[in-house]
Amino acid sequence: MTGPPEDRASWPELLEYAPCGLLVTEPDGTIRLVNATFCTWTGYRAAELVHEHRIQDLFTVGGRLFHHTHWLPLMQMQGSAAEVKFDVLHREGQRVPMLFNAIARQRGTRIYHELAVVVVHDRQKYEQELLRARKSAESALAEQQKAQQALARSRDELAQADRRKDEFLATLGHELRNPLSSMHNVLAILRRQSPGTPEMDRLHGMLGRQVHYLSRLVSDLLDVSRIAQGKLQMRRQPTELASVVRDAVELVQSPIDSAAQRLDISLPPKPVVVDADPVRLTQMLLNLLHNATKYTPHGGQITLGVTCDDDYAVIRVRDSGVGIAREDLGSVFEMFSQVSGSAGHSQGGLGIGLALVRGLVDLHDGIIEAGSEGPGKGSEFVVRLPVLRTKPEDEAVPPVSAAQSPGGRCRVVVIDDNQDAAESLAMLLELEGHEVRVAGSGLAGLELARNSDAEVVLLDIGLPDIDGYEVARRIRQQPWGRKLLLIAVSGWGQERDRQAAADAGFDRHLTKPVDIGELTALLRAAG
Ligand code: ADP
């Protein structure tokens, strides 16, 4: 190149050898001017192209067609075209992919097309690679979406199976309550009628323990499934831990005594108050103590300690029993988990006790940990609950109590479609001196209550014709039904069931199996 680039005189030479092909054509494509770069790329001399060829003559057949159908109309209508790709045929025959930009410009009276062209070999390769990469990215994305969909599907299925399991457990627990209820009643009747021989007392004791054990399993089962479904209702109130300890220990004392174990209890000098549901807290502690006695051999040692630091009340239940292997410590709180090997199992159980304990601790915003030095070296369960800084409320006086209200005989109607449950309850109440009649359906019960001038109606909720709520509503609508004591006896004991019973006009709601002491106290008060 002659002269420096800023010299305008070097302009023609710059255009001649510019890094792009430059052409001027007539509107029909006839080449009028072409630079050396384009000639080099196509293998022609300029003289062979100018006036001799139309630009489209250098294109492949498809290119020519496209030139005719798209390029020319575009140039006519909008006077320009940008980034149009044609394969240009080299003189030797090989294809050279080129990208064309063009504008139409008027010179004097005539119109010319000015073309700038670049070779796009590399770009094509690059585009192909890009296309391949895009395709593989797309297929990876599709695979990922498929995998995500499959994951979501199996998550849904799992959640559904889990829901079904919880529903099944709830129904199973509920269904088991009816037979348990009858067994409870029959046992109480047998006790009252027993000749009182030591042999009979022993058998009653045995049966009582088994029925009690079954009832505990069933209510634990119902509670864990309620916790899993987020349906467990808590009645939290300022609760003094010493009273919870007292209640739990009282309930577990008999198995501890039978196993000749020693229970040491240590409480802090000052009362420790937590914001808790006292019934649930007792249940939690009872489960831990039950396990401690269950997994500790005859003559072993159990300690229960309560301490308090600034923010937390700490409850420790320690035993000298079979212990837990380190690798099992993490899983003992899982539902249905039972530790295998010599340390576990032989004691029976469903593996729900600790899952329930952890659920209850969680609901109290607390923490639970299990510890053990290993098999044979005892276990320790530590529960931490946030302490409440206020003094406990004065204990509410229970509304009715057997001891406080000596009462008389009542005319009672029992309405339950489960014949065994109804009859055994009736017999039990008759033994207490009440006059009892039984009906197996809602409408029959309604009739019976009217005709027998009932003072108390014990009413199951699930009945074959109209349900217990409806029976209650109808009773309350009658002049004779306004004052009688209406008690729901139901397998469902959640807060909303109690609320529904209260809304329908029930005075009380008892959960099956009915606590006979509570029921007879209610009747005595009513009599
Ligand atoms: P279950 O006692 O009905 O099997 P839990 O949920 O109460 O179910 O306990 C789960 C498992 O944890 C038990 O099977 C037992 O192996 C282990 N475990 C619980 N408490 C103790 C304890 N105090 N000592 C040793 N092992 C225990």
Side-chain angles (χ1 to χ4, degrees):
M1 188 181 298
T2 57
E6 60 272 23
D7 186 349
R8 298 290 298 180
S10 61
W11 194 236
E13 198 183 346
L14 270 174
L15 292 178
E16 194 69 57
Y17 297 102
C20 63
L22 294 171
L23 299 103
V24 177
T25 71
E26 293 188 18
D28 69 354
T30 306
I31 298 171
R32 293 290 303 273
L33 206 58
V34 59
N35 74 348
T37 308
F38 187 80
C39 292
T40 311
W41 286 344
T42 52
Y44 290 97
R45 284 179 292 113
E48 288 173 310
L49 294 175
V50 174
H51 292 298
E52 299 300 320
H53 282 290
R54 294 172 309 165
I55 183 70
Q56 61 267 39
D57 297 338
L58 305 182
F59 296 168
T60 55
V61 180
R64 256 178 268 159
L65 199 66
F66 187 78
H67 184 267
H68 185 68
T69 55
H70 288 75
W71 176 274
L72 286 181
L74 208 61
M75 290 303 288
Q76 266 169 14
M77 278 159 53
Q78 78 178 32
S80 69
E83 293 186 30
V84 181
K85 197 179 138 251
F86 290 105
D87 281 343
V88 177
L89 292 172
H90 189 274
R91 189 192 183 118
E92 306 289 326
Q94 65 270 37
R95 289 165 182 238
V96 187
M98 291 190 196
L99 208 58
F100 284 70
N101 274 0
I103 61 165
R105 205 192 300 272
Q106 186 151 9
R107 291 178 184 270
T109 56
R110 303 193 57 180
I111 294 202
Y112 295 95
H113 291 176
E114 298 172 10
L115 281 61
V117 187
V118 286
V119 174
V120 288
H121 266 312
D122 289 346
R123 183 184 137 132
Q124 205 170 24
K125 249 193 283 169
Y126 169 69
E127 271 177 357
Q128 270 164 4
E129 259 167 46
L130 213 64
L131 206 66
R132 261 198 303 278
R134 202 176 108 181
K135 268 195 188 140
S136 77
E138 276 172 357
S139 70
L141 196 72
E143 285 299 314
Q144 195 193 8
Q145 276 170 348
K146 250 201 269 171
Q148 269 169 350
Q149 280 163 359
L151 202 69
R153 250 197 322 274
S154 54
R155 235 194 336 247
D156 282 354
E157 280 165 12
L158 257 176
Q160 217 173 40
D162 202 41
R163 252 198 317 276
R164 272 200 295 266
K165 176 212 68 191
D166 286 333
E167 280 161 14
F168 169 74
L169 290 181
T171 316
L172 178 73
H174 177 249
E175 285 304 311
L176 288 177
R177 280 189 153 173
N178 264 332
L180 267 176
S181 192
S182 307
M183 284 154 83
H184 252 288
N185 297 343
V186 170
L187 185 65
I189 294 167
L190 290 178
R191 275 207 176 110
R192 278 177 173 72
Q193 292 181 334
S194 154
T197 60
E199 180 63 5
M200 235 18 198
D201 285 351
R202 207 173 62 81
L203 290 176
H204 287 156
M206 203 187 294
L207 194 57
R209 277 190 300 281
Q210 295 309 315
V211 171
H212 178 72
Y213 174 61
L214 255 180
S215 306
R216 215 168 69 86
L217 274 186
V218 167
S219 65
D220 278 3
L221 203 60
L222 275 172
D223 286 341
V224 252
S225 70
R226 275 185 207 137
I227 290 179
Q229 293 174 298
K231 287 184 184 164
L232 192 83
Q233 244 108 25
M234 303 268 287
R235 295 163 189 231
R236 284 172 84 159
Q237 61 193 67
T239 302
E240 219 267 285
L241 276 183
S243 66
V244 171
V245 167
R246 202 177 46 235
D247 290 349
V249 167
E250 196 182 310
L251 291 166
V252 84
Q253 194 67 56
S254 131
I256 290 181
D257 290 347
S258 333
Q261 289 158 344
R262 225 182 83 191
L263 172 64
D264 286 338
I265 302 169
S266 72
L267 295 170
K270 283 194 192 150
V272 181
V273 181
V274 290
D275 179 25
D277 180 331
V279 174
R280 296 303 181 181
L281 213 52
T282 309
Q283 185 183 13
M284 181 201 84
L285 191 54
L286 186 62
N287 266 314
L288 292 179
L289 288 169
H290 254 297
N291 277 352
T293 163
K294 194 160 94 169
Y295 295 104
T296 299
H298 200 82
Q301 162 91 37
I302 299 168
T303 55
L304 163 59
V306 178
T307 52
C308 186
D309 62 23
D310 285 347
D311 299 317
Y312 282 93
V314 185
I315 306 170
R316 273 170 214 278
V317 178
R318 186 175 241 297
D319 62 61
S320 62
V322 296
I324 302 170
R326 179 180 293 274
E327 63 271 21
D328 293 325
L329 282 174
S331 63
V332 286
F333 295 108
E334 265 149 42
M335 182 122 145
F336 306 130
S337 104
Q338 289 192 315
V339 176
S340 55
S342 58
H345 272 231
S346 55
Q347 301 301 321
L350 292 178
I352 51 176
L354 287 181
L356 177 60
V357 169
R358 190 180 49 186
L360 290 174
V361 172
D362 284 349
L363 287 174
H364 283 94
D365 309 314
I367 305 161
I368 182 160
E369 280 164 344
S372 171
E373 310 248 302
K377 301 206 172 136
S379 314
E380 183 180 56
F381 288 84
V382 183
V383 178
R384 287 188 168 76
L385 299 171
V387 281
L388 206 61
R389 293 273 155 231
T390 53
K391 290 177 94 183
E393 300 284 315
D394 287 340
E395 290 222 334
V397 180
V400 187
S401 123
Q404 285 165 348
S405 340
R409 293 158 45 99
C410 295
R411 282 186 301 281
V412 184
V413 168
V414 175
I415 309 176
D416 194 332
D417 60 328
N418 184 316
Q419 208 179 340
D420 285 347
E423 276 178 17
S424 56
L425 187 59
M427 278 173 75
L428 192 60
L429 294 177
E430 276 165 2
L431 283 173
E432 285 282 316
H434 302 289
E435 193 185 311
V436 191
R437 315 206 36 196
V438 174
S441 74
L443 291 172
L446 207 56
E447 202 52 35
L448 193 61
R450 190 203 328 268
N451 296 337
S452 64
D453 201 13
E455 292 160 307
V456 180
V457 175
L458 294 169
L459 189 44
D460 185 25
I461 298 297
L463 292 168
D465 46 2
I466 50 173
D467 70 14
Y469 299 131
E470 184 55 29
V471 177
R473 272 191 288 270
R474 292 197 195 178
I475 287 180
R476 285 301 189 219
Q477 280 162 9
Q478 307 298 323
W480 54 266
R482 301 220 171 98
K483 285 224 186 87
L484 57 71
L485 178 63
L486 208 46
I487 302 175
V489 180
S490 157
W492 305 107
Q494 288 172 248
E495 191 53 38
R496 64 183 158 127
D497 303 313
R498 292 176 190 282
Q499 193 53 53
D503 292 346
F506 282 100
D507 296 303
R508 301 297 294 240
H509 180 282
L510 303 181
T511 314
K512 288 180 184 175
V514 172
D515 179 336
I516 303 301
E518 191 183 356
L519 179 58
T520 48
L522 278 174
L523 295 194
R524 261 188 235 141

